[in-house]
């Protein structure tokens, strides 16, 4: 799948076979509702600890580390999982960084070779999603623009919060299905964010 500019729509929803294809290891269905938590002011501190672990593990190979997702936005309810963005030179070259991440307690869970060579690791003993992208990938800017816009725009922050709460109350086969269901609202918010930033 070709790289898209930051203003483009989110990735198409994944089918169950596609979810199974990109999952590394056992795929555990949710088959239920998602539990959202009110914003917790401890979340930035948990991210800071995570960033320090990554810098220790990777040194200069960690080109950028950012707190992303809903736990990075004050006042926004979220799954209590710290979404962390790690930018390296080449996310497809797992041998250059995955062993170091494994030694630091991360396990590879998602390998999306067809979508920006995205990799996602989970921490073994704490609630962390570590998203890895290559330097220059347009998805990096997209994630950061969305985060920063929600931090400063109360109306869209409230819209996103309402959407998350409504969707979380439904029953989902996989967590990915819940994430995909937010796509249209995310695209609407991103259109406003990119327009406001003059992009």
């Amino acid at each position: 799948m070709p790289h898209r500019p930051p203003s483009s729509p989110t990735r198409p929803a994944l089918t169950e076979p596609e979810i199974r294809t990109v999952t590394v290891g056992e795929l555990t269905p949710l088959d239920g509702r998602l539990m959202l938590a009110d914003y917790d002011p401890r979340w930035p501190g948990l991210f800071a600890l995570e960033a320090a672990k990554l810098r220790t593990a990777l040194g200069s190979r960690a080109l950028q580390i950012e707190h992303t997702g809903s736990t990075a936005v004050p006042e926004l309810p979220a799954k209590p999982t710290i979404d962390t963005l790690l930018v390296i030179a080449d996310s497809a070259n797992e041998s250059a960084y995955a062993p170091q991440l494994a030694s630091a307690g991360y396990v590879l869970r998602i390998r999306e070779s067809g979508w920006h060579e995205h990799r996602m690791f989970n921490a073994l003993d704490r609630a962390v999603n570590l998203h890895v992208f290559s330097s220059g990938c347009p998805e990096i800017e997209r994630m950061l623009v969305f985060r920063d816009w929600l931090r400063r725009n109360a109306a869209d922050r409230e819209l996103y919060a309402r959407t998350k709460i409504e969707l979380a109350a439904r029953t989902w086969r996989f967590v990915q299905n819940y994430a995909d269901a937010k796509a249209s609202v995310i695209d609407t918010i991103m259109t406003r964010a990119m327009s406001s930033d003059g992009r």
Side-chain angles (χ1 to χ4, degrees):
M1 187 178 298
H3 284 184
R4 294 183 295 264
S7 58
S8 66
T10 54
R11 171 186 55 194
L14 297 180
T15 64
E16 181 168 337
E18 289 171 334
I19 293 172
R20 293 187 181 279
T21 297
V22 301
T23 299
V24 178
E26 182 180 355
L27 176 61
T28 304
L30 174 64
D31 288 332
R33 300 178 179 181
L34 271 93
M35 300 301 296
L36 298 181
D38 291 336
Y39 179 78
D40 189 331
R42 294 175 296 179
W43 287 338
L46 294 176
F47 162 75
L49 293 174
E50 216 59 43
K53 289 183 176 74
L54 292 169
R55 290 189 186 98
T56 298
L58 295 172
S60 61
R61 280 169 287 193
L63 302 179
Q64 186 176 358
I65 303 170
E66 298 279 354
H67 189 186
T68 59
S70 295
T71 61
V73 181
E75 302 180 29
L76 195 59
K79 300 189 306 295
T81 300
I82 306 300
D83 279 304
T84 302
L85 167 67
L86 169 64
V87 181
I88 64 168
D90 181 6
S91 56
N93 185 12
E94 293 177 20
S95 64
Y97 66 94
Q100 291 77 16
L101 292 180
S103 296
Y106 299 90
V107 60
L108 180 63
R109 294 292 292 135
I110 299 292
R111 179 187 289 117
E112 294 187 277
S113 299
W115 186 69
H116 303 301
E117 292 290 356
H118 171 238
R119 304 294 189 269
M120 190 189 80
F121 294 74
N122 288 145
L124 289 172
D125 60 352
R126 54 205 183 276
V128 175
N129 289 335
L130 175 63
H131 300 273
V132 184
F133 289 102
S134 301
S135 179
C137 172
E139 190 64 15
I140 296 167
E141 182 182 3
R142 180 179 171 81
M143 293 172 72
L144 298 181
V145 167
F146 187 71
R147 177 199 67 187
D148 293 346
W149 178 255
L150 290 181
R151 283 176 172 176
R152 67 179 186 265
N153 187 284
D156 275 339
R157 186 169 59 246
E158 291 167 7
L159 169 62
Y160 192 48
R162 287 196 307 272
T163 301
K164 286 161 61 73
I165 291 167
E166 291 169 4
L167 291 174
R170 301 181 189 176
T171 298
W172 301 99
R173 173 67 170 156
F174 298 106
V175 174
Q176 184 64 48
N177 300 142
Y178 160 80
D180 289 340
K182 297 183 294 181
S184 62
V185 170
I186 291 173
D187 287 343
T188 297
I189 293 172
M190 278 298 299
T191 297
R192 287 194 282 268
M194 300 302 290
S195 174
S196 174
D197 285 354
R199 291 179 171 87

